Amino acid sequence: MRNIRNFCIIAHIDHGKSTLADRLLQTTGTISDRDMKEQALDDMDIERERGITIKSHAIQMNYKQGGEEYILNLIDTPGHVDFSYEVSRSIASCEGALLIVDASQGIEAQTISNLYLALEHDLEIIPILNKMDLPGAEPEAVTDQIVELIGCSPDDVIPASGKTGLGVDKILEAIISRIPAPVGDPNAPLQAMIFDSVFNPFRGIIAYYRILNGTLKKGEKIRFFNTGKDYHADEIGILKMDLVPKQFVSAGDVGYIISGIKQAKEVKVGDTITNVANPCKGAVKGFEDVKPMVFAGIYPVDTDDFEELRYSMEKLQLNDSSLVFEPESSAALGFGFRCGFLGMLHMEIIQERLEREFNMTVITTVPNVSYFAYMRKTPDLPVTINNPSELPDPAAVEFIEEPYIKAQVITKSDFVGQVMTLCVEKRGELKNQVYLTQDRVEITFEMPLAEIVFDFYDRLKSVSKGYASFDYFPIGYRRSDLVKLDILLNHEQVDALSALVHRSNAFDLGKKICVKLRELIPRQQFEIPIQAAIGAKVVARETIKALRKDVTAKCYGGDISRKRKLLEKQKQGKKRMRQVGRVEVPQEAFLAVLKLND
């Protein structure tokens, strides 16, 4: 065990985690030059195209130093704020972390929040200054930032470049000398923590775990602690570029297990694996279920595809345990699912994966968050509202609470004014402002989660010319003056466009949605009024003019009454048409509501 090292890589988006992981794999000979490709650990096409990591990946490397063989278990983690739960799982199964900072961009919000996560678990931090080959690199200034943040000495910071391979040997030396070996007793009862699971269509669910105590042998009977179910360890082994089967895996190591499980619900990430014959006393602590932050409805474009969509979602859930969904129906869109996501990027990724991997074209409704409504009759039992259409009669509601978050924005000092204006517009309260260096500021706000769901991140990037980074975490629920804004098309309510909004924003938002829908909904043979209403009170209205055929074209001269008769006949037809006419809302209209400020 003293020659095993378990470590993860943490950084902000685009600071070069995956590229540096590629160099480590190459240097240790884990992957041959012939098989080498960019982002070697990222399996999905979306990850490669967008250059982001969505799922954390584990891999084992062998490395020789000073005549001794070392086993290095690397867990690569995502950098985006939406996937921070993946990062927390990886951190819990390691003893050390490589903190990567881009030499040209410096420390950003996600760097800090991931660092705090690692420090909570008492991990040994190795700071690395990446992208040293860039012309815009500022090694001295960024090293000072790192020293101030972690409190290490400047000599501890390793200059490196994932692209050129500079400093990779030094990183490997530091991993061996600075990260402690895992502690555990191979002879104690088996105690292993599951940190990830993937679905294989032929073998069922493959669970990845880290053994804290004991030894797992092939073929023995095991038990999952939280679900209380028993299985046979059909195949166990370690993770290289492919799965490598072994007869046993011991304390301190990271491995995989295949036991023919077909249901994703049976494998809970963070669960403890133990031996049926000699079980451990307690489960590994420090894990909770994933809490979705953003809710939206996903509906098939063709209602006949509902069962196929259910099948696709279940398959997706096997590979992404953070996706939560339940069936629901809507008057406008038929049958579909109410889904919970970790954030807007997660929602976008799920939608794209449904289209790519399962050929499902879907309609996504306006995303929202969950609220608590306290009723007059039962003030002790709040009603959870995930969908605006679930809101009870306003007369029976005493008050509504909405979720609040603590948001950290790190930006250049030139953009402080614009960032503050944006946050105040989104009902944020300024809590703190700290100058990290002369030209970098960390601003802390408390604001409603609902306000950042729409377009906050895009607008933050615009006002700061791309120099702001953003991170948030929930801080509980607070009382708020919220109203339900309904959108009516031709006097019929479109429940997929309803939203719960703050009373002060209702008029502006209603006006914007109406204007946007007028541009996007195609003109019909009859006039269509678009209205935004709070209860029975209409707060905004736009009208889509009717397409009009010139029925008087065939009248050359003659008496005016002939023209009037034809126009009157047309008017009656339009009136009838408007009573029976259905307005088709295009998919773009549902999505456009999300990008109202573009």
Side-chain angles (χ1 to χ4, degrees), residues 14 23 37 205 300 321 341 367 498 592:
D14 266 355
R23 291 299 84 76
K37 53 187 178 180
I205 290 184
S321 55
F341 306 98
S498 297

Side-chain angles (χ1 to χ4, degrees), residues 491-508:
H491 306 298
E492 277 186 25
Q493 188 183 326
V494 183
D495 56 354
L497 291 172
S498 297
L500 270 175
V501 293
H502 196 264
R503 197 180 291 276
S504 60
N505 294 348
F507 175 74
D508 289 343

Side-chain angles (χ1 to χ4, degrees), residues 332-401:
L333 300 169
F335 289 104
F337 293 97
R338 181 103 203 125
C339 305
F341 306 98
L342 299 168
M344 291 299 284
L345 177 74
H346 187 213
M347 176 174 142
E348 216 176 294
I349 297 288
I350 293 288
Q351 205 176 334
E352 201 162 317
R353 285 184 70 184
L354 278 172
E355 285 183 13
R356 285 184 181 207
E357 295 170 27
F358 303 99
N359 293 326
M360 294 295 307
T361 27
V362 292
I363 292 175
T364 314
T365 63
V366 181
N368 60 347
V369 297
S370 58
Y371 301 89
F372 286 147
Y374 288 82
M375 312 302 288
R376 292 222 157 96
K377 286 183 179 169
T378 53
D380 303 337
L381 291 170
V383 180
T384 307
I385 298 164
N386 290 331
N387 190 342
S389 59
E390 293 171 6
L391 185 70
D393 176 21
V397 176
E398 182 68 36
F399 62 90
I400 300 175
E401 285 186 343

Side-chain angles (χ1 to χ4, degrees), residues 4-24:
I4 297 177
R5 299 288 181 273
N6 297 321
F7 66 98
C8 59
I9 301 184
I10 51 177
H12 190 77
I13 315 157
D14 266 355
H15 280 207
K17 290 182 299 301
S18 300
T19 316
L20 202 64
D22 291 350
R23 291 299 84 76
L24 290 171

Side-chain angles (χ1 to χ4, degrees), residues 18 21 110 117 155 157 160 202 215 233 295 315 328 362 370 422 438 441 450 500 505 513 574-575:
S18 300
Q110 199 62 28
L117 265 179
D155 305 337
V157 182
F202 305 108
T215 304
F295 296 88
K315 275 277 185 286
E328 73 162 3
V362 292
S370 58
L422 171 66
Q438 283 180 336
V441 194
L500 270 175
N505 294 348
I513 293 179
K574 296 270 183 211
K575 200 171 173 183

Side-chain angles (χ1 to χ4, degrees), residues 410-513:
I410 295 183
T411 183
K412 290 200 165 183
S413 47
D414 315 356
F415 305 116
V416 172
Q418 292 95 307
V419 171
M420 283 192 178
T421 311
L422 171 66
C423 290
V424 169
E425 184 190 319
K426 295 282 187 185
R427 298 193 284 138
E429 290 173 31
L430 179 66
K431 287 292 171 194
N432 199 358
Q433 185 179 342
V434 183
Y435 276 81
L436 300 171
T437 62
Q438 283 180 336
D439 65 338
R440 286 178 80 76
V441 194
E442 180 187 16
I443 310 169
T444 311
F445 284 92
E446 285 182 4
M447 61 202 296
L449 176 62
E451 294 289 342
I452 66 155
V453 162
F454 283 141
D455 53 356
F456 178 77
Y457 196 62
D458 300 345
R459 288 186 59 197
L460 180 67
K461 286 287 183 202
S462 319
V463 298
S464 64
K465 300 195 169 73
Y467 278 110
S469 60
F470 168 68
D471 185 34
Y472 66 88
F473 53 90
I475 52 171
Y477 282 74
R478 293 187 190 172
R479 195 166 168 167
S480 199
D481 183 15
L482 299 169
V483 291
K484 182 180 167 201
L485 184 72
D486 289 319
I487 302 296
L488 310 169
L489 278 184
N490 197 12
H491 306 298
E492 277 186 25
Q493 188 183 326
V494 183
D495 56 354
L497 291 172
S498 297
L500 270 175
V501 293
H502 196 264
R503 197 180 291 276
S504 60
N505 294 348
F507 175 74
D508 289 343
L509 187 70
K511 184 74 183 159
K512 279 180 183 167
I513 293 179

